[in-house]
Structures are given as structure tokens and as C-alpha cells.
Amino acid sequence: MAPPDAAIIIPHYNDPERLARCLTALTRNDLSRVEVLVVDNNSPTPPTEVQTRFPDVRFVVEREKGAAAARNRGVAETDAPLLFFIDADCVAADDWVAKAHEVAPTADLIGGRVDVFDETPPPRSGAEAFEAVFAFNFQNYIEVQGFTGSGNLVTTREVFEDVGGFRGGVSEDLDWSTRAVSNGHKLIYREDLVVSHPSRSDWAALRHKWRRLTQELYGVNGNTPRDRMKWAVRALAMPISAIVHTPKVLSSDKLDGWVERLRAVGTLFRLRFQRMVWMLRQAMGQDI
């Protein structure tokens, strides 16, 4: 058999149900030209049952903690010239692999659309309603902010080797794609390259997500007095940003009824004030 021309790399940590859902969705794609590689990040409970259910998927273990190390291990484990990244909690569209092959020649890095779905019955909680409006705006990330995430990413081995691996301890998606763009690699957005991601179901999950992101974003902000002052200014702007974004929530066609809209607005203000507190602590050199 000819070697695969692409590898699908999936970092995983202790989430076997979602991993199984991810792999089930991938089996609805044409996998004849690809290798599917799950890199388990040394989960306390190894995904043995999932591995049994999907004998054609290759499983390896990376003991160094963090998705960055897991993705790097996945790249090292394959010789495929094309690299397709998806996260273990994502659900690929039925044509995702075909689209990845189609778009791969069009740019050096391609990020696609990430839709949000709920894992709980309606009505949405405040966290779910907030995520429905604000989560995973990859078109804005790519076309306005100049970076992409790695939960729906197509690139090549040549680009990866030029940029170097993902780095842990920072926002690895932002850091890696920013380095790639700085090296002259072309980044584009494709609306037809689609995966779906579950929304955070409650405040605790949403708070955990944004605490992690705030830590990672501060990691790429810089730590000079000037950098910390700029971070503090951004922190103080958080409540203002909640006011600015309120009309977006109230007019969103992604929410059903005023109950969901009001819950989303409440979560918006609660989260932005929480982020302000975290960021001010960071600017003063304190942990969050």
C-alpha cells in the first residue's frame, strides 16, 4: 500500500467519550489516503476501550503534559507531508478530510470554521448562551487578528519544520501560527472546512477555560514594566468591552428568546469583570 499523504493528529487527555465521538465522525469521512493518530497525553485512565473500538487508528502516548507536546509527538510519529490537526472534543464534518485535501494547496496554513453545539438539553445556560455568540470566531481570528487555532488546522510538514514545534506554557495556537506568519507563511480562512465543538455547559467550565486562556495570553504579552502597564490598561477596558458587546448578544440569531439573551448578557459582564481582576493581578506580578 502507498504511504498516507496526510496525517490527522488528535491530542487527547482523559476524555474517552468525546474522543470516541470524534473518531466516529472521522470514520464517516474518506480515510483511504490518511493516517489517524491519537496522541494520549498520559491519561490517568488510558483510552483502552476506544482503542479497541477503532483498530485502524494509531494510538501513542506522550508523557510530557500539554497539548503542545502531544501535537509535536504526533508530527514526529508520521512522515506524511500533509498535517491535519483536530482536537479530541471536536466533531468533523462528513467532508472534512476531503476539504482538507482540497484546501491544502491554497495556502501554508488554513484554518476552518468551528461551530458550537450544546451537550445539554435546552434552554441554554448562561455559559452555553455566551459561547453560542462568542466562541470560536475563527474568521475573525485569522482575517483580523492574524492567527488561527489548532482544533481545525491544515498545514504541511515543510511549514511545521520551518516554524518549529508548538510551545507549551503559552497560548500555543496563537504562538505557533503567529510565528508561522512572521516567517512569511500564508494563512487563510476557509468557511467550508468545518468542525463542531461543544459549548461550555456552566460557569465553572467557562471560568476554567478563560482562566487558562488568560494565563496563556499573558505568557505571550511580555513581562517588562511597559508590557505590564499595557496589560493593565487592557484589563481596565474589560467592563467597557462588555457594554460594547451587549447589542451583539441582544440581536444574535443564535439565541432563542429573551431568557437566553439575558443569561448571555449576565455571563458576558460576569466574565469580563473576572478577566479584569485576573489581568490586574498579572500586571502586578501575582498569580491568578
Side-chain angles (χ1 to χ4, degrees):
M1 294 180 61
D5 66 359
I8 300 173
I9 297 170
I10 309 171
H12 168 261
Y13 181 74
N14 220 40
D15 198 355
E17 291 184 5
R18 287 175 174 159
L19 175 61
R21 183 175 64 192
C22 175
L23 295 176
T24 298
L26 286 173
T27 62
R28 295 193 287 267
N29 283 251
D30 178 4
L31 300 178
S32 59
R33 300 161 58 193
V34 302
E35 175 183 18
V36 182
L37 210 162
V38 173
V39 185
D40 183 69
N41 213 188
N42 202 26
S43 297
T45 303
T48 307
E49 183 179 345
V50 181
Q51 188 169 358
T52 302
R53 286 177 56 188
F54 297 92
D56 294 332
V57 174
R58 186 176 169 203
F59 285 73
V60 298
V61 175
E62 172 54 54
R63 298 190 181 279
E64 182 182 343
K65 291 298 183 185
R71 293 188 184 103
N72 293 341
R73 176 66 180 274
V75 175
E77 288 284 337
T78 178
D79 294 322
L82 297 176
L83 303 173
F84 304 161
F85 292 96
I86 187 172
D87 287 344
D89 54 359
C90 288
V91 177
D94 292 353
D95 64 349
W96 184 72
V97 173
K99 286 294 180 182
H101 277 105
E102 178 186 320
V103 304
T106 64
D108 301 309
L109 301 86
I110 303 98
R113 192 175 90 222
V114 179
D115 293 334
V116 177
F117 66 93
D118 301 321
E119 295 179 310
T120 62
R124 293 185 176 100
S125 67
E128 290 168 332
F130 174 88
E131 292 253 288
V133 178
F134 292 106
F136 305 114
N137 187 350
F138 270 45
Q139 185 170 10
N140 177 271
Y141 299 163
I142 292 167
E143 296 180 351
V144 177
Q145 300 184 53
F147 75 94
T148 190
S150 51
N152 186 12
L153 171 66
V154 173
T155 189
T156 68
R157 175 171 299 280
E158 182 179 0
V159 170
F160 190 88
E161 291 178 349
D162 178 62
V163 176
F166 291 93
R167 297 192 294 207
V170 297
S171 181
E172 67 258 17
D173 310 71
L174 186 155
D175 174 72
W176 189 85
S177 55
T178 300
R179 283 189 283 132
V181 171
S182 297
N183 280 18
H185 296 294
K186 182 181 178 182
L187 167 65
I188 66 169
Y189 172 76
R190 285 292 296 251
E191 179 76 10
D192 53 351
L193 180 71
V194 184
V195 306
S196 299
H197 189 285
S199 59
R200 269 66 181 183
S201 61
D202 56 26
W203 169 249
L206 188 65
R207 184 181 186 277
H208 177 78
K209 168 189 173 179
W210 278 101
R211 182 175 181 273
R212 172 179 56 82
L213 289 175
T214 302
Q215 289 173 320
E216 292 175 350
L217 290 170
Y218 185 68
V220 297
N221 174 72
N223 198 35
T224 67
R226 179 184 177 88
D227 293 330
R228 291 198 300 273
M229 179 62 69
K230 289 169 61 178
W231 193 249
V233 171
R234 288 180 62 183
L236 294 172
M238 282 290 148
I240 299 172
S241 73
I243 297 171
V244 170
H245 284 113
T246 294
K248 179 178 181 178
V249 176
L250 296 179
S251 62
S252 175
D253 60 3
K254 297 178 181 179
L255 300 177
D256 296 323
W258 282 101
V259 171
E260 289 190 358
R261 286 178 171 83
L262 291 175
R263 286 177 176 176
V265 169
T267 301
L268 168 64
F269 275 84
R270 185 180 184 184
L271 182 60
R272 296 292 164 84
F273 273 98
Q274 177 67 83
R275 289 179 63 192
M276 179 185 70
V277 172
W278 285 334
M279 293 171 70
L280 288 174
R281 288 178 62 87
Q282 288 172 317
M284 294 185 290
Q286 300 174 9
D287 293 332
I288 63 172

